[in-house]
Amino acid sequence: MNFENSLAFAKQQDAQDTLAEYRERFHHPVIDGKQVLYFTGNSLGLAPKSAKDYVNAELDDWAKWGVEGHFHATNPWVSYHEILTPAMAELVGANESEVVCMNSLTTNLHLLFVSFYRPTTEKFKIISEAKMFPSDRYLLETQVKHHGFDPDEAIIEVAPRDGEHLIREEDILAAINEHQEQLALVFFGGVNYFTGQLFDMEKLTQAAHNVGAIAGFDLAHAAGNIPVKLHDWNVDFAAWCTYKYINASAGNVGAIFVHDRHGDNTDIPRFGGWWGHNKERRFLMENSFDPMTGAEGWQLSNVPIMGMAVLKASLDIFQQVGIENLRQKSLKLTAFLAFVFNDIVELFPDIQLEIITPSDASMRGCQLSVKLVGTDKRFFSALTEAGVIADFREPDVVRLAPTPLYNSFEDVYQFGQTLKTLLAGWQK
Ligand SMILES: Cc1ncc(COP(=O)(O)O)c(C=O)c1O
Ligand SMILES: Nc1ccccc1C(=O)C[C@H](N)C(=O)O
């Protein structure tokens, strides 16, 4: 598509955008009296205006019913998580039996590792991407140690080649091949948090399965950002949070996916809790754990209703919009940001700011990561001062995520103008 770095062009794109109305369904922060440009849906999504009503409804039912709300609230609390499942399953291309909302991301990954990382002295290695989000790295390290293995030996990290920023798929496939005899698990972020690189989850899953290994993914930066087809891709397990692209508020409950071929098998070892117990018999106070089939069989505790109410508000919006429609807008909006960014940066040859996220749209979601070369963290602080909410990740990357649900083409244009002013000042 031919872009133009002009206000008229941006406004024209917004006028043609069939999702433009959704912008108004979210609160856009005004900080120190100034409307900011919010490009941080990859860290914390904006608040849906409807969330208050959803939470208030539950507060009202609590006031009205007390404990009876578990069974008599408008949406009875004992089964509240179940009403989230259809939208969440649709979002990640899963059967409803394969998904449940519960706990938070790192907790869920540990629970899934209990079931899907059961190393033996023959097969104990995990292949993952170098520079994973630290929590994922701590997960791997502590899981490996928990089973008595040495992280240096058990964790195989595939890194970008010297002088490159992205991980080559051929290098991942080569690592899987090289370590196949001892490989237990391939575990990747669907989209890397630092570079924004999207991995071909279907291909990695197939490669893992070809050598008898399990394939699991952290979808923190993928869920609600790109369409995924977890069931069809045969992914074994996945987990994600809901506070980024799913806009369900800070630290809110996450979700898991367990493919039906595993979910149907209640003999798979797991940690148990009463919410994963046969729900018909949950209140019979029996001694022996009888897990439900499907992802629900991995639940431990009864669910936090207020958080789930916010998540419901957000998922209802996703169901109306549809992730495929969002992706169509996202492809255009992110390409426009890349265009505007490069158009401005070219004006300042002394300053090197480089987008390290793949330029191939099939290898990225909405996030663009900009490496600061010859500038430093002060550049990020200056952006913030100028009213752009982005984020900085050590040592040298600024992440910008134009989020198709609530960002506009005009936001992107205005960002370019802010960048231009800032870089002009920087040169002096
Ligand atoms: C890829 C990835 N994994 C794990 C986490 C940690 O999630 P939580 O704090 O919800 O466990 C995050 C973000 O915080 C993340 O981006
Ligand atoms: N949960 C948070 C709490 C405080 C600050 C950041 C986060 C993030 O989510 C960071 C995000 N995972 C990232 O991709 O960097």
Side-chain angles (χ1 to χ4, degrees), residues 97-118:
S97 51
E98 294 173 320
V99 166
V100 70
C101 298
M102 64 180 202
N103 311 317
S104 51
L105 175 53
T106 310
T107 310
N108 284 337
L109 286 172
H110 276 292
L111 292 175
L112 289 166
F113 269 53
V114 167
S115 300
F116 297 108
Y117 179 60
R118 285 179 283 133

Side-chain angles (χ1 to χ4, degrees), residues 35-78:
Q35 182 73 67
V36 297
L37 290 173
Y38 197 83
F39 287 120
T40 330
N42 58 339
S43 185
L44 185 74
L46 290 181
K49 290 178 181 168
S50 55
K52 249 187 201 160
D53 288 341
Y54 283 63
V55 172
N56 280 338
E58 299 314 319
L59 287 170
D60 288 347
D61 270 346
W62 184 20
K64 181 172 169 194
W65 292 104
V67 71
E68 293 292 306
H70 285 305
F71 302 98
H72 297 299
T74 310
N75 294 308
W77 302 329
V78 278

